[in-house]
Amino acid sequence: MSESFDIKSSIGSYGVHIETGAFGTRLSERHRDLILADKFFEDTLPLLLPARETIFIEAMEGAKSLDAAPELIERIRRAGANRETRFVSVGGGVLQDVCTFVASIYMRGLSWVYFPTTVLGMVDSCIGGKSSINVGPYKNLVGTYHPPQNVFIDPEVIHTLPFDQQASGIIEAAKICFCRGPEFFANYLKCDPYPGMQFDSLGRMISQSLRAKKWFIEVDEFDQKERLLLNFGHTFGHAIEGASNYGISHGIAVGLGILCALEFNRQSLLGGPDYFAGAPIIGDFESHLDTMLQYDHTLPGAVAALSVPEVMERLKSDKKHKQDSYVLILVDRTGKVVIEKVPRSVESLQRVQSAITSVLGRYAA
Ligand code: GLY
């Protein structure tokens, strides 16, 4: 498979190339670039790129934190990076965040190229240009916009990824396509996405997801309106992910978060269990998410260990909320994703808590 398209951004267009074999061919063309790679590739990358300066980074949540930045920047300086250096990032979402961030601030900004190596990186975080960096206990509190110059996606790279990690990325693709609208979601489902899927279908799913995301990031690059819809599932999801001390992975937590957001409307007095009766797409979406969540065999134990009050505390401190309202991304009766301001009240919090308890109850051991 070989497919390319451009993404327009405020600092110019950049290319997305979905290309079987790109990991071997395109990566070895990068002779003068400094590679920042997931430590997972510590044994294999030197075989592919002998005698190349590479900085390996453990792809843990702590690596994408403000605390970790000074040491990394010193390592980059010791490796000789100057204004002519281009960074190459090899890894999943954590490496994307780290590389976007350091490329945006090192010597006031260098260009970078990205080779995503996880489903999540391929279907979502490789485009959009944002870095999301943790500060102490606060997830994604600071960040920058600094899109890559090119993104090279080789679907074959994920063949060794565990199925739960693949499911985690597939959930993000499902979310992006669902947010874009029924036609995109139907085309997404036609790719028959599941962990271990054929590379050809995987390539088509990646393309579908990135083309859906392209619309959001081109009409609203800086997260003022339309792009905020892509946070669907994230307000609940980040709270669950954080409360599990990142034992529940991002995409899996987002899957649970989407189910909580849907449940929230069913918990309203005017809503009830039939809230989505006029939108059959919701049933398809929920059942697809449920299938993906089943691939994470550690989920029942991790969910059972969660403290709902802690999830609530984290949800209440989400940075999207306003002074007088909680900002939630929800779905209306027609199946359209919408931004809703929910009044800060005891009743609202009870509805939130009840939605969370109901969904977590379905998945706990
Ligand atoms: N994390 C990349 C983006 O969405 O901008």
Side-chain angles (χ1 to χ4, degrees), residues 96-97 125 127-130 213 227:
Q96 176 267 312
D97 276 320
S125 52
I127 60 170
K130 283 196 283 190
K213 181 166 174 178
R227 187 172 174 176

Side-chain angles (χ1 to χ4, degrees), residues 35-39 41 45 54-57 88-91 95:
I35 301 174
L36 306 182
D38 185 333
K39 209 167 165 33
F41 296 102
L45 264 192
T54 302
I55 293 179
F56 290 102
I57 297 168
V88 175
S89 174
V90 179
L95 263 290

Side-chain angles (χ1 to χ4, degrees), residues 27-339:
L27 194 52
S28 46
E29 288 167 6
R30 312 259 141 218
H31 299 297
R32 290 188 308 280
D33 305 342
L34 176 62
I35 301 174
L36 306 182
D38 185 333
K39 209 167 165 33
F40 177 81
F41 296 102
E42 204 165 24
D43 295 331
T44 47
L45 264 192
L47 302 177
L48 187 65
L49 305 166
R52 284 290 304 280
E53 183 85 45
T54 302
I55 293 179
F56 290 102
I57 297 168
E58 196 134 15
M60 311 284 283
E61 196 61 25
K64 49 166 257 171
S65 70
L66 210 50
D67 284 347
E71 192 198 322
L72 175 61
I73 291 167
E74 284 185 39
R75 285 171 77 189
I76 290 171
R77 185 62 181 142
R78 281 197 299 275
N82 58 34
R83 288 206 175 97
E84 283 163 351
T85 302
R86 184 166 50 181
F87 296 120
V88 175
S89 174
V90 179
V94 169
L95 263 290
Q96 176 267 312
D97 276 320
V98 169
C99 198
T100 304
F101 188 60
V102 293
S104 68
I105 58 174
Y106 188 80
M107 296 193 174
R108 298 197 186 82
L110 299 185
S111 61
W112 68 290
V113 171
Y114 184 31
F115 289 76
T117 60
T118 60
V119 179
L120 183 66
M122 292 180 188
V123 301
D124 180 8
S125 52
C126 63
I127 60 170
K130 283 196 283 190
S131 61
S132 302
I133 299 296
N134 304 330
V135 181
Y138 302 106
K139 188 171 165 69
N140 297 350
L141 189 65
V142 300
T144 49
Y145 283 89
H146 193 66
Q149 216 172 34
N150 273 298
V151 178
F152 294 102
I153 301 167
D154 182 352
E156 286 185 356
V157 169
I158 64 112
H159 77 281
T160 54
L161 267 192
F163 277 9
D164 59 331
Q165 277 189 44
Q166 293 191 34
S168 176
I170 291 172
I171 287 171
E172 285 282 0
K175 177 216 71 182
I176 295 168
C177 293
F178 182 85
C179 288
R180 184 71 182 90
E183 207 175 310
F184 264 84
F185 188 62
N187 284 335
Y188 159 83
L189 286 180
K190 278 191 202 145
C191 301
D192 191 18
Y194 64 93
M197 67 203 285
Q198 297 292 316
F199 294 131
D200 194 45
S201 313
L202 175 63
R204 282 189 289 115
M205 180 191 79
I206 294 167
S207 168
Q208 190 67 17
S209 178
L210 292 181
R211 286 174 187 278
K213 181 166 174 178
K214 171 180 157 76
W215 181 82
F216 290 98
I217 61 183
E218 288 187 341
V219 296
D220 177 26
E221 183 176 0
F222 298 112
D223 255 340
Q224 297 302 304
K225 196 173 166 211
E226 292 87 349
R227 187 172 174 176
L228 291 172
L229 296 173
L230 293 179
N231 287 316
F232 182 34
H234 282 63
T235 311
F236 290 92
H238 279 159
I240 292 170
E241 187 184 3
S244 76
N245 205 14
Y246 303 100
I248 299 178
S249 70
H250 178 71
I252 297 290
V254 167
L256 292 170
I258 291 170
L259 296 177
C260 290
L262 295 171
E263 191 59 28
F264 179 82
N265 274 339
R266 294 197 179 102
Q267 299 282 339
S268 72
L269 283 178
L270 297 172
D274 296 331
Y275 187 83
F276 296 114
I281 189 175
I282 299 296
D284 297 340
F285 189 30
E286 283 181 311
S287 109
H288 179 61
L289 291 177
D290 182 57
T291 306
M292 291 307 118
L293 292 172
Q294 305 297 335
Y295 279 95
D296 185 349
H297 300 303
T298 64
L299 188 60
V303 169
L306 281 174
S307 144
V308 173
E310 192 182 342
V311 176
M312 288 295 294
E313 279 315 305
R314 285 175 179 269
L315 186 137
K316 281 194 278 180
S317 67
D318 189 284
K319 63 181 184 287
K320 286 186 295 300
H321 300 319
K322 307 276 185 218
Q323 197 74 26
D324 60 348
S325 57
Y326 298 111
V327 178
L328 298 178
I329 317 295
L330 299 171
V331 175
D332 71 13
R333 287 176 188 276
T334 68
K336 191 163 166 258
V337 183
V338 289
I339 300 174

Side-chain angles (χ1 to χ4, degrees), residues 20 121 323 359:
T20 311
Q323 197 74 26
V359 171

